[in-house]
Amino acid sequence: MSLFTHMSFVLFLLLCLNGFIQGLVLGVYEKQPDNEGIRLTEAAAAFDSSISGKLSEMLTISGPLLKKGKSRTFYGLHQDFPSVVVVGLGKSSTGVCGKENWDNCKESIRAAVSVGCRQLQDLEVAHVEVDPCGDGQSAAEGAVLGLFEYDEFKTKKKVRVTTQPYGSVDSAAWQKGVLYGDGQNLARRLMEAPANHITPTAFANTIEQKLSPFAHKVAVHKRPQCWIESEQMGAFLSVSKGSEEPPVFLELHYKGSLDSAQPPLVLVGKGITFDSGGISLKPSSGMDAMRADMGGAATVCSALVTAAALKLPINIIGLAPLCENMPSGKANKPGDVVRAKNGKTIQVDNTDAEGRLILADALCYAHSFKPRAIINAATLTGAVDVALGSAAAGVFTNSDWLWERLQKASIVTGDRVWRMPLFQHYTKQITENALADLNNVGKYSRSGGACTAAAFLREFVTADHWAHLDIAGVMTNKDEIPYLRKGMSGRPTRTLVEFIHFVQNSDLFSN
Ligand code: BES
Ligand code: MG
Ligand code: ZN
C-alpha cells in the first residue's frame, strides 16, 4: 500500500469512528476507440470538478480504465464521502438490444450500482449516495436489489444501508425504482423464508400486513378451508389434505381505477409453501428449494402490493391458493380421481404435478370476476428450466395482445419472458390417457413437460386474454443476474408491475 493510500485509509477510519459513515457510488463509461481519457457520467463529472479534477487524476494513475461491472474504491477524496466507489458502466451508447431482448443501458446501470453499493456495505458504510447514471429508476433498482440479503435468521446481520440519489435527479423516477426493487425484494423474502415460517397462514398474514397502508383501496380475504370446500375446489383440496397445515385461499382486491366497476385484471399465483412431491416423493437432495414453490403467489401478490404503492389507476384482483404438498395417510395417491370446481374430473397420476391441480380451481374462480385478462404465475415444471434455464420465464398465452405487452415490459425490466406453444398436440397428451376427463401428467411423461402442463391449465380457461408464466427456471439466482445475490430471485415481479403500468390506460382497461 502506498503512503498516500495508507493515509487516505487512516482518514477514512477516523471519519468512520466519528460516526460520519457516508459513501458515494459513481459511474464511468468504457473508453471508446475514438475518445481519449475518461468518460465520467454527469454526476461523476460534477463531483470531479468539485474536487478540482482529483477523481479523474486518481482514476488515470490507478491503472487501466474500468471495464463494465468492475470497481475501484478511493478513500479520503472528499470530506463528505470518506469512501467513493467508481464503477464501470460499459459503453455509453448502447440501449435496447434486439438480440438480447433487453435494454443494455438499464442492465449495466443496475449491475454497476449494485456492485458499488455492495462494496460500500462490505466496508460497513451505512449511508450511500448513488449516481443516477442518467436513469434514476434503474439506478435505484440496482441499489435496492443489489443490497438485499436474507439474514432474518442470522445473529450477525449485514449493515443496513440507506441510499439516496447523488446530485440532480428526477426524484419520481428514483422513487419508482425503489418501489420496483422493494416489490421484488418482498417476493424474494417470501420465497427464501423457510417453509416452517412461511406457512399458508403466515403468507396470507404477511401480504395483508403489507397492504395495510392502502386499506382504503384494498380488500383482503383469507378464505379458510370451509370456504374452499363450499366453492367445490376439489382439485385444490386434494393437494392440501395431505398436510397438517391448513390451506388458505388468499383473495386480494385492489380498486385503483376511479371507475370501481371497471372489469379487473386478475393475477393468479401458485402458492405451494412446500412441495415434497407428496406420495410421488421428490429426491431429498435439493428439496429445501421447494420452500420457494410459492414463487407464483409471492410474485403476483408483490406486484399487486407494488401497484397499490404506485397508486396505479387500474382494478386488480390477486388470487393465491396456498397449501403444502405432503405425503401422508390422507394424501393424494397416484391414480386417484378428483373433481375440479368446473366439474372436470382429473386423474392424479403423479402427485408431484400438484401446481396445476391447485391452479385449475383458482383459474375457474378467476372467471367469476369477469376479468379483462387473467395472468397466472407458477413454479410449475422442471421442464421449463430445461428449456430456457434462468434466461426468461416461459409464457403460454392465447392472446397476442397480452404477449406483446408482457414482452415489451420485460425488455424494460431486463427480467425477460419467452413465448412457448399451446398446441393441441399437447392437449391430446393430457386427455387421451385418463380414466377421467384429464390426466395431470402427459402420456409421454417428460417430453414437452412445460407445454403439457400449460395445456392442462388451458382446460380451465375460457377468457380471451390469458397468459400462464412458468417461472420455475427463474426461481433461483446463482450468479446469472449480477444485481441479485445468490438465492431466491423474486422474478418476474418487476415485469408484472411494468406490464400493469403499460396496460393501465390501454384500450382493454379503459372504458
Ligand atoms: N414445483 C415443481 C416444479 C419445479 C421444479 C419448480 C424445479 C422449481 C424448480 C412442480 O410441482 C413439479 O414437481 N413438477 C414436476 C411435474 C412432473 C411430475 C410432471 C416436475 O417438473 O418434475
Ligand atoms: Mg410438484
Ligand atoms: Zn410444485
Side-chain angles (χ1 to χ4, degrees), residues 249-263:
F249 191 97
L250 182 62
E251 181 176 330
L252 313 171
H253 292 240
Y254 166 61
K255 291 239 176 266
S257 170
L258 287 175
D259 172 11
S260 64
Q262 182 197 71

Side-chain angles (χ1 to χ4, degrees), residues 270 272 275-277 280 282 289-290 292-294 325 349-356 378-385 440-442 445-446 449-450 452-453 470-476:
K270 169 178 171 181
I272 296 290
D275 181 12
S276 70
S280 313
K282 286 181 182 296
M290 286 299 116
D293 206 21
M294 26 57 82
N325 184 26
D349 268 358
N350 191 320
T351 67
D352 197 11
E354 83 297 341
R356 61 198 78 179
T379 49
L380 204 63
T381 66
V384 82
D385 183 40
N440 81 329
V441 285
S445 67
R446 288 165 56 82
T452 48
D470 194 334
I471 60 169
V474 300
M475 180 178 85
T476 55

Side-chain angles (χ1 to χ4, degrees), residues 217-218 252-256 304 307-308 311-316:
K217 280 191 181 169
V218 171
L252 313 171
H253 292 240
Y254 166 61
K255 291 239 176 266
L304 189 143
K311 302 188 174 66
L312 299 185
I314 181 172
N315 294 336
I316 310 172

Side-chain angles (χ1 to χ4, degrees), residues 149-158:
E149 166 111 344
Y150 185 80
D151 53 13
E152 221 112 313
F153 296 102
K154 292 204 194 235
T155 311
K156 191 173 179 333
K157 298 182 194 301
K158 276 211 156 68

